[in-house]
Amino acid sequence: MKIGLVGLGKMGFNMRERLRAHDIEVIGYDPRPDVTDVGSLTELAAALEGPRIIWVMVPAGEITQNTIAELALTLEGGDLVIDGGNSRYTDDAVHAELLATKDIGFLDCGVSGGIWGRNIGYGLMVGGSTTDVERAMPIFDALRPEGDVADGFVHAGPVGAGHYAKMIHNGIEYGLMQAYAEGYELLEAENLIDNVPGVLKAWSKGTVVRSWLLDLLVAALEEDPELAQISGYTEDSGEGRWTVEEAIRHAVPAPVISAALFARFASRQDDSPAMKAVSALRNQFGGHAVRSASSKNSTSET
């Protein structure tokens, strides 16, 4: 089998290598000449015999939109495009309709696994027609983890379902990471605990809170026990916001995911205006001491 892969960043590059290791020939395109196999999307299409399968693995939003628009002009009827990036699910119907005008199929595929997927496989959530999914199944089988198909792959529904499932997956991820982070901070704050990394590592086998995320936190602390080399500033790539918006749309309470998203916003403020207001209010109604902007020492609460 032979496919095209657009986007050879951290995920795309590793996916290309995993596919090749599973005897799928991959022609990759990326604007960076040091990693690309061809010089343009036109050259990519020319390097593949029809009907083609092109996997798009580029940042969500304008870059994905422009890439799919160009592919709609470049590809031919019977070809298939798979968007494996983190596009918002509402974009998928637009992409599918655009490609359908040229009789080009479309699948949206949520991909989880990060930089580790090359070796252990990727969790895949796919939206689209059964016919298109079956056609691309050798690719999904190569990318997913070894073992039962259902443990790492799902045909979640029609176009849009794959990215919707991935969006919720990432919203849950926000909440899990925040819970581990808060537990870590509480352990660090208690003088009784002499070995915070050791406590977390002791949770990694047999406990109800064991997980791959916990394993990754343990690994990070083994590399940097005080996490002194990194800033607390934390970005969000969009899926957490979209998950909260969906919770509002469906009137589904999602306090944990919402709080985790807002915690990321708080991480970006050197001196939160909101918390300044809280401090001022506490001083006004209760006479509680406040810390000056230049002070590094907090006063006790009464």
Side-chain angles (χ1 to χ4, degrees):
M1 189 174 194
K2 188 175 183 179
I3 72 164
L5 177 60
V6 181
L8 299 171
K10 291 180 180 178
M11 288 278 284
F13 183 90
N14 283 341
M15 290 170 71
R16 179 177 66 174
E17 300 311 300
R18 183 172 177 86
L19 288 167
R20 287 175 172 174
H22 285 74
D23 298 321
I24 292 179
E25 187 175 353
V26 182
I27 307 297
Y29 168 68
D30 191 280
R32 296 170 297 158
D34 57 318
V35 296
T36 194
D37 299 318
V38 293
S40 67
L41 290 180
T42 301
E43 290 183 23
L44 177 64
L48 300 167
E49 296 181 2
R52 307 168 182 84
I53 298 179
I54 305 289
W55 188 297
V56 177
M57 204 69 193
V58 299
E62 185 177 358
I63 296 177
T64 294
Q65 293 162 8
N66 291 342
T67 299
I68 290 178
E70 187 173 349
L71 287 172
L73 298 173
T74 305
L75 300 179
E76 301 172 337
D79 292 344
L80 174 63
V81 173
I82 304 172
D83 178 9
N86 280 330
S87 293
R88 188 164 188 168
Y89 79 97
T90 50
D91 291 341
D92 294 324
V94 177
H95 296 154
E97 290 170 8
L98 173 63
L99 292 167
T101 63
K102 293 279 297 290
D103 194 30
I104 300 167
F106 177 80
L107 295 174
D108 58 284
C109 182
V111 180
S112 181
I115 60 175
W116 301 87
R118 175 176 176 177
N119 295 323
I120 66 176
Y122 301 88
L124 306 172
M125 299 139 269
V126 182
S129 74
T130 300
T131 300
D132 286 338
V133 170
E134 290 176 350
R135 178 180 168 190
M137 204 62 216
I139 301 168
F140 299 138
D141 280 336
L143 290 173
R144 67 174 177 81
E146 303 294 334
D148 291 341
V149 174
D151 290 340
F153 171 87
V154 62
H155 181 191
V159 166
H163 281 147
Y164 194 97
K166 179 56 164 42
M167 174 183 67
I168 303 304
H169 165 282
N170 281 26
I172 293 169
E173 181 184 292
Y174 275 48
L176 292 172
M177 287 194 290
Q178 186 64 26
Y180 284 129
E182 291 173 10
Y184 163 75
E185 184 169 355
L186 280 166
L187 290 169
E188 280 285 359
E190 176 51 61
N191 291 332
L192 285 171
I193 303 297
D194 292 330
N195 185 359
V196 172
V199 170
L200 293 170
K201 189 167 186 176
W203 294 350
S204 63
K205 297 287 191 298
T207 76
V208 296
V209 298
R210 66 188 184 275
S211 75
W212 186 41
L213 285 174
L214 178 60
D215 293 341
L216 293 176
L217 178 56
V218 169
L221 289 168
E222 287 176 346
E223 294 176 6
D224 182 3
E226 302 297 327
L227 298 182
Q229 303 303 313
I230 60 174
S231 164
Y233 186 105
T234 307
E235 288 285 5
D236 68 288
S237 56
E239 295 91 338
R241 299 185 189 214
W242 303 339
T243 302
V244 172
E245 289 172 7
E246 287 299 303
I248 295 169
R249 186 170 75 88
H250 288 291
V252 172
V256 172
I257 295 173
S258 300
L261 174 64
F262 295 142
R264 294 197 181 194
F265 296 163
S267 78
R268 302 169 200 170
Q269 296 178 308
D270 291 331
D271 200 359
S272 167
M275 295 315 296
K276 283 186 177 183
V278 169
S279 181
L281 285 168
R282 290 174 68 256
N283 177 256
Q284 290 294 320
F285 71 69
H288 298 294
V290 297
R291 182 176 14 165
S292 69
S294 60
S295 173
K296 298 297 183 182
N297 299 314
S298 61
T299 56
S300 61
E301 182 176 359
T302 58

